[in-house]
Amino acid sequence: MSPSNIYIVGAQCTGKTTLVEALERSYETAGDVAPPAVVREVARSVMKTHKFTAHDIISSPDRCLTLQTLILNGQLDAERAALRESGWIISDRSGLDPIVYAHRHLGHEVAEAMMRSAAWKEL
């Protein structure tokens, strides 16, 4: 049986990536458990691929929603791929992040709608 997935969440610059890397190293040397696949922070790669900036989150509700939806779907794709690689994952952030951003910048109704999406339900 695979261990439970681990999601590292929190504010920016609090050491999440450092913790993920430390956990990854510790499981590489643990002989009793198959090492996890690691999902690196999805938001940065989505922003780069689709040419978004942090300013888009606060400057345009439409761009903010588009970005958060892309991140949510990107997280799902990354987790699916990682789970095919290994039976379990350690993830730097989670699908909860874009929902929190949507709630903060677009309101409760938008966040609720995102939580009804197929991507969120699978995550």
Side-chain angles (χ1 to χ4, degrees):
M1 189 168 104
S2 297
S4 296
N5 296 332
I6 299 171
Y7 296 88
I8 308 301
V9 297
Q12 295 176 336
C13 299
T14 56
K16 293 178 302 298
T17 300
T18 301
L19 179 56
V20 167
E21 291 168 353
L23 287 168
E24 182 180 24
R25 284 191 304 275
S26 73
Y27 282 109
E28 286 173 354
T29 59
D32 58 334
V33 175
V38 175
V39 175
R40 308 287 173 197
E41 187 179 349
V42 171
R44 289 178 198 224
S45 63
V46 167
M47 289 175 74
K48 183 177 180 181
T49 299
H50 296 280
K51 299 182 179 15
F52 279 87
T53 66
H55 184 68
D56 289 322
I57 295 169
I58 58 172
S59 66
S60 167
D62 288 338
R63 288 209 28 101
C64 181
L65 179 57
T66 299
L67 175 58
Q68 300 317 316
T69 302
L70 287 167
I71 293 169
L72 183 65
N73 291 319
Q75 182 73 30
L76 176 59
D77 292 343
E79 288 189 29
R80 283 177 175 163
L83 287 168
R84 283 191 298 272
E85 177 186 326
S86 177
W88 67 294
I89 62 172
I90 296 174
S91 183
D92 189 342
R93 298 214 177 239
S94 75
L96 183 60
D97 288 78
I99 291 173
V100 169
Y101 273 90
H103 185 273
R104 180 174 181 193
H105 296 286
L106 302 169
H108 180 74
E109 297 79 19
V110 174
E112 287 284 326
M114 288 182 74
M115 288 189 290
R116 288 190 297 273
S117 71
W120 174 249
K121 289 177 182 178
E122 184 175 334
L123 285 168

